Amino acid sequence: MTPPWEFADTAGAFCPHGRFGIAGAATGPLAGRTFAVKDFIDIAGHVTGAGNPRWLETHGPATATAPCVTALLEAGATMVGKTISDELAYSLNGDNFHYGTPLNAAAPDRVPGGSSSGSASAVSARLCDLALGTDSGGSVRVPASYCGLYGIRTTHGLMPLDGVVPFMPSLDVLGWFARDARLFAEAGAVLLPPAPARPPLARLMRGLDAEAEADEAARAALAPAIAAVERRFGGAAPVTIADDGLESWRVQFRLLSANETWSVLGPWIEEAKPVFGPAIGERFAFAKEMSGQDVTPAREARARITRRVRDMVGLDGVLCLPTAPGPAPLLTATGAAVESFRQRAQRLTCIAGLSGQPQINIPAATVDGAPIGLALIGPPGRDLDLLALAVTLEQTTAA
């Protein structure tokens, strides 16, 4: 019998060194399911490539398998390969300079989104049922929106990051993709710790400033999905998320993340002298520049942002907003237009990133035939409740 990981990679989602598999347990809640793993996550005996050939050359095989992979295997799911990541995770586009751009099966003329590009591509192309990714600045949420998938950024610190390449430690989290809400939630029941009893999620808020970041066509297309969520909660309160503007929040995110990234990866970059794609190279140059700067004001701003968002959501609130400004950029898009779109996306993704809160993407609509997602941000630690909400909403819209 041919192993389930021996198939043609029709999407270009898997990295060349990632074509191997591990059979899951014979029984368990995910028995018979398959999953892929972003090449930022360790599997014992294999080198984690982190999206860059030089990283692959200068690191040895992992000595242990990351707990998130082990949990899925023990639940019965079979691992079918390692997927392409944007170089050292420093992108939201999904076009790797060295390994190519994985297919966005939901919109083949558009990018899949990064940095968990290969994982999103593999699920979108039905090469596996689930895929693990990492999210620091939007690297699960954005590809999920672009590829029409469910995706989650988990609460910061809720899942152990053992065996995950560090990138921006105060922002790094694990996440995963699925095509349907029930499997999305079943994976969460395996991967996430049990949650203590808490009051139900009962309040919905619409982030008006976040909605303003989306294209007009995206806002119009998302309106029915937003209305469905409002019916679930009996209405929604309009709020302004950022009292000093989402661009100000994006700037704080950019400064802090660049400073952290260089502190973690800078020594290796200086020693190994890797070749980066142009856009990634520019970001690391900025990160090096920021390494010598005093980012205390940015850290203080982040603390204020965290308090504001957490106070807004409280113990039982959900914040609703577009996941991205619109559908994925076209594969042919270049230059200023791509950078402008990326910055608008970061104004949306930095909210949960800076505050450390869980956020899910729900595939909600299309614009010009390409998917766009609706984001729901919940209180810290309410990841399982957000997953259950996704199931409820999917059942409601399917009825």
Side-chain angles (χ1 to χ4, degrees):
M1 182 177 177
T2 303
W5 50 85
E6 290 187 5
F7 55 82
D9 180 7
T10 54
F14 293 84
C15 43
H17 52 280
R19 298 311 311 270
F20 64 92
I22 305 173
T27 61
L30 297 178
R33 300 291 193 172
T34 58
F35 72 100
V37 179
K38 180 179 182 177
D39 196 30
F40 236 66
I41 301 170
D42 285 350
I43 294 177
H46 298 271
V47 181
T48 299
N52 184 274
R54 185 66 178 144
W55 185 276
L56 190 71
E57 292 171 1
T58 57
H59 288 78
T63 57
T65 297
C68 56
V69 175
T70 300
L72 292 177
L73 292 170
E74 291 177 347
T78 290
M79 198 283 292
V80 296
K82 298 287 289 291
T83 56
I84 291 173
S85 164
D86 287 7
E87 292 187 78
L88 300 182
Y90 218 167
S91 178
L92 286 179
N93 223 35
D95 47 355
N96 188 295
F97 179 76
H98 305 279
Y99 299 120
T101 302
L103 174 71
N104 179 344
D109 59 342
R110 297 174 183 270
V111 298
S115 63
S116 304
S117 54
S119 288
S121 172
V123 176
S124 178
R126 298 182 175 270
L127 300 178
C128 57
D129 299 313
L130 294 161
L132 291 167
T134 64
D135 189 308
S136 304
S139 293
V140 168
R141 293 164 288 166
V142 169
S145 180
Y146 288 178
C147 294
L149 303 172
Y150 288 91
I152 183 170
R153 172 194 168 81
T154 54
T155 298
H156 187 265
L158 188 63
M159 292 180 67
L161 292 177
D162 306 47
V164 179
V165 176
F167 175 45
M168 302 170 179
S170 76
L171 295 156
D172 294 346
V173 301
L174 284 160
W176 60 91
F177 302 93
R179 290 186 298 275
D180 68 89
R182 184 164 297 281
L183 180 57
F184 186 49
E186 289 172 352
V190 168
L191 290 165
L192 294 166
R198 292 173 180 168
L201 298 175
R203 296 181 300 112
L204 181 68
M205 293 153 284
R206 288 180 60 174
L208 299 186
D209 49 345
E211 290 182 15
E213 293 292 340
D215 299 333
E216 183 178 350
R219 293 197 300 270
L222 288 173
I226 294 172
V229 182
E230 288 181 335
R231 286 193 296 272
R232 164 65 179 76
F233 284 91
V239 297
T240 297
I241 300 172
D243 50 353
D244 52 346
L246 287 171
E247 172 60 13
S248 173
W249 288 20
R250 185 193 74 83
V251 169
Q252 307 310 321
F253 168 84
R254 181 172 183 251
L255 298 178
L256 282 172
S257 62
N259 181 272
E260 277 196 25
T261 295
W262 192 261
S263 70
V264 171
L265 298 174
W268 174 80
I269 292 172
E270 298 277 61
E271 180 180 352
K273 297 179 171 48
V275 173
F276 290 127
I280 305 295
E282 290 172 7
R283 285 174 205 137
F284 276 115
F286 176 74
K288 182 177 182 179
E289 180 184 331
M290 284 308 303
S291 67
Q293 304 297 314
D294 180 9
V295 293
T296 300
R299 290 197 181 99
E300 293 171 347
R302 180 184 186 176
R304 292 193 300 271
I305 290 166
T306 299
R307 287 194 300 271
R308 180 173 176 82
V309 180
R310 293 194 177 191
D311 288 348
M312 186 179 295
V313 173
L315 297 176
D316 64 349
V318 174
L319 186 58
C320 177
L321 64 154
T323 304
L330 293 167
L331 289 165
T332 54
T334 57
V338 172
E339 181 59 24
S340 173
F341 191 89
R342 176 177 176 270
Q343 291 182 16
R344 290 166 61 206
Q346 284 185 331
R347 291 180 200 132
L348 299 172
T349 60
C350 73
I351 299 165
L354 289 171
S355 63
Q357 292 174 234
Q359 177 178 328
I360 61 172
N361 176 76
I362 293 175
T366 59
V367 171
D368 296 330
I372 53 171
L374 185 66
L376 300 174
I377 297 174
R382 302 299 296 268
D383 306 53
L384 290 170
D385 295 296
L386 286 180
L387 296 173
L389 177 57
V391 173
T392 299
L393 292 170
E394 184 179 66
Q395 292 171 339
T396 300
T397 38

